[in-house]
Amino acid sequence: MSAYIEELAGRIGAVFGDRVQRLPALDGDLAIEVAPINLLEVARTLRDDPQLRFEMLMDLAAVDFLDYGRVEWRTTGATSSGFSRGVNGSAPHTNARPERFAVVLQLLSVTHNHRLRVRVCCEAALDPMLDSLTGIWASADWFEREAFDLFGILFRGHPDLRRLLTDYGFIGHPFRKDFPLIGHVEVRYDPERARVVYQPVSIEPRILVPRVIRHDNRYDPALHDLPGPDAPHG
């Protein structure tokens, strides 16, 4: 870990004490976790403290930890159980984490050229809710609407919490792990009504599997180390 990151981590630790917890991160990154009850206080201090000055909220994204720890979370490659195993309705949901939903903030200090990742977990899994950050960073407005639309996370105090990316009549939150890949409804044009109508989805549910890797004769071992067309002839 670089001395720069350790210096920033020490500065944050001195300001907040046990109100924040440091999280594992890649080299060159710094990540902390804050409890929901302390979110607004910590966020405001991160913005206003002269030694920190995280003036800009670059991004706010949500995470669904449903089935965290199972094979679908091995993200460096495909697994034997297929790519849609996380939304297999027949599979038991055994979440190894006590919280299901979390929100992750990406902060930037223009003054000090610092970057920081902040994670806050939602306490309720049924109706996850956090305090809105729109009063601290104006950019949180659309980010929070996106998290609400896609994950169903509610933001207490948001001035206009409406769907942002899905249609007005959309049912559910499509980025949740238990949301079916085929959705719940589909739309079609009804010539008799002369308008688009909603109806139950007609696609058969199926579990996708990794693409079959077929043999390619260009990589046949028998063809290795053969002289090329420009090789000198004996």
Side-chain angles (χ1 to χ4, degrees):
M1 189 65 67
S2 67
Y4 158 75
I5 293 296
E6 290 301 322
E7 179 184 356
L8 179 57
R11 194 177 306 167
I12 290 174
V15 171
F16 296 109
D18 60 1
R19 287 177 293 172
V20 302
Q21 302 294 325
R22 188 169 178 180
L23 296 174
L26 299 174
D27 289 342
D29 289 346
L30 179 60
I32 62 173
E33 184 166 21
V34 57
I37 193 172
N38 296 323
L39 175 60
L40 292 183
E41 177 190 1
V42 169
R44 189 172 290 107
T45 303
L46 286 171
R47 184 195 65 181
D48 296 339
D49 188 284
Q51 297 298 314
L52 301 174
R53 295 293 293 158
F54 287 98
E55 308 101 329
M56 186 175 295
L57 173 63
M58 300 290 293
D59 190 25
L60 182 152
V63 183
D64 183 357
F65 285 108
L66 183 67
D67 291 335
Y68 178 78
R70 297 178 64 192
V71 291
E72 66 267 20
W73 287 85
R74 297 176 187 171
T75 55
T76 56
T79 64
S80 60
S81 53
F83 288 121
S84 65
R85 55 208 174 274
V87 292
N88 183 1
S90 63
H93 294 306
T94 53
N95 187 0
R97 294 177 54 90
E99 310 90 357
R100 175 174 173 180
F101 295 102
V103 167
V104 179
L105 319 175
Q106 304 289 349
L107 304 181
L108 171 66
S109 170
V110 178
T111 301
H112 302 296
N113 194 24
H114 295 161
R115 293 181 183 269
L116 177 67
R117 182 164 62 253
V118 181
R119 187 177 75 187
V120 53
C121 293
C122 306
E123 294 178 346
L126 183 61
D127 293 312
M129 182 179 295
L130 292 172
D131 290 316
S132 174
L133 295 168
T134 52
I136 299 175
W137 294 292
S139 59
D141 190 341
W142 278 37
F143 292 146
E144 291 178 353
R145 284 182 58 185
E146 182 181 40
F148 162 69
D149 190 358
L150 301 180
F151 289 89
I153 297 177
L154 303 171
F155 291 90
R156 187 185 300 108
H158 191 285
D160 187 22
L161 196 61
R162 292 178 292 127
R163 288 188 181 271
L164 182 66
L165 300 176
T166 58
D167 194 12
Y168 295 109
F170 195 88
I171 299 174
H173 305 282
F175 276 19
R176 290 190 174 190
K177 294 291 183 181
D178 52 1
F179 188 85
L181 292 180
I182 59 174
H184 296 293
V185 297
E186 62 185 15
V187 297
R188 67 175 179 85
Y189 181 76
D190 189 329
E192 295 182 358
R193 302 182 187 180
R195 65 180 177 87
V196 171
V197 297
Y198 287 88
Q199 64 185 27
V201 67
S202 60
I203 304 174
E204 289 289 333
R206 62 193 179 97
I207 299 298
L208 301 180
V209 295
R211 183 183 304 170
V212 176
I213 302 177
R214 294 180 173 84
H215 176 69
D216 190 331
N217 60 8
R218 292 176 298 175
Y219 304 104
D220 194 313
L223 300 178
H224 288 183
D225 302 323
L226 293 180
D230 299 329
H233 299 283

